[in-house]
Amino acid sequence: MRQTRFHGRHEANGRLCSWPGCNEAGEFRAPGAYGNSFDGPGEWRWFCLQHIREFNAGYDWFEGMSADEILRAQSPAAGWQTETPAFRATGAVDGMPRWSDFDDPLDAISARAGGIKSRAQREAELAMDGRFSKEEAQALEVLGLGAKTDRKRLRQRYSELVRRYHPDRNGGDRSHETRLSRVVEAYQLLRKSAAIG
């Protein structure tokens, strides 16, 4: 019986070691021939135990990097310098950041974003626009839409949110049912609104 105590061992299923001239089973994977990329290692190369050890002993992750690039890669903050696109101010739909889809009753997210209006401020502006009632302004806020929304964009956003929150699309997860019902109610109100052209 083969030992299974080595971490990373996979059943070979007829795969041979990629090392030239080796006919042992390829049970340990290594980065592909084209190296790693942002999307992962590409296709794996498979080696036997002896050759994966040799591969690992000679593998240099920093190969081809300049001294500055190596220093940045070794920094404890490496990978944390950029914003997540969904939370970036420019990661918006109809001028509303993606994080506006989350409930923020205390406006904690908006307040920390600096320069981005709170939910209450946006609702007040929509109501003051004169075209929307207070209920319509709240419905636009629930859907994450602005005053310049037309019927086509309203339908698109409604469809997008229903797909996101419906249990049939989330593997039966019913934790978003309250949010889904708010989205449906908001859409039903806005689709009859004369203010949306």
Side-chain angles (χ1 to χ4, degrees):
M1 183 173 170
R2 294 191 58 78
Q3 291 179 335
T4 58
R5 67 184 180 93
F6 295 108
H7 177 70
R9 174 173 270 157
H10 298 265
E11 284 296 320
N13 296 330
R15 236 184 350 255
L16 293 179
C17 178
S18 298
W19 201 269
C22 182
N23 292 324
E24 293 289 319
E27 298 176 302
F28 298 90
R29 65 184 183 188
Y34 302 109
N36 292 343
S37 72
F38 181 75
D39 295 325
E43 292 192 28
W44 296 106
R45 289 185 279 181
W46 294 90
F47 295 109
C48 63
L49 181 60
Q50 175 188 346
H51 290 126
I52 194 67
R53 287 178 172 161
E54 287 184 43
F55 175 85
N56 287 341
Y59 186 75
D60 183 5
W61 190 80
F62 298 108
E63 184 179 347
M65 289 186 178
S66 70
D68 288 338
E69 290 171 328
I70 292 172
L71 187 62
R72 279 194 302 274
Q74 291 176 329
S75 165
W80 292 95
Q81 294 88 351
T82 59
E83 292 179 290
T84 303
F87 289 87
R88 187 177 298 152
T90 57
V93 176
D94 280 353
M96 300 292 294
R98 289 267 185 213
W99 46 259
S100 68
D101 291 339
F102 296 98
D103 287 328
D104 186 18
L106 300 177
D107 289 323
I109 297 172
S110 300
R112 293 191 70 197
I116 297 177
K117 297 172 184 154
S118 72
R119 172 178 293 171
Q121 289 171 321
R122 290 189 304 264
E123 286 176 9
E125 284 180 6
L126 287 169
M128 286 176 53
D129 183 81
R131 295 185 306 154
F132 300 103
S133 67
K134 182 179 177 185
E135 292 77 21
E136 289 172 337
Q138 288 172 345
L140 284 168
E141 184 63 31
V142 166
L143 295 176
L145 296 171
K148 295 181 182 176
T149 300
D150 61 4
R151 295 213 179 274
K152 180 180 177 187
R153 180 64 190 127
L154 175 65
R155 282 191 303 270
Q156 286 174 340
R157 183 65 174 159
Y158 172 69
S159 177
E160 177 186 318
L161 291 175
V162 167
R163 282 193 307 269
R164 182 181 304 168
Y165 297 125
H166 200 283
D168 290 348
R169 302 285 256 173
N170 294 315
D173 179 10
R174 302 180 89 78
S175 63
H176 301 292
E177 282 186 333
T178 304
R179 179 79 172 145
L180 178 62
S181 66
R182 289 178 57 209
V183 166
V184 171
E185 288 171 14
Y187 176 74
Q188 293 301 327
L189 175 68
L190 291 172
R191 75 183 183 93
K192 300 170 188 167
S193 172
I196 296 180

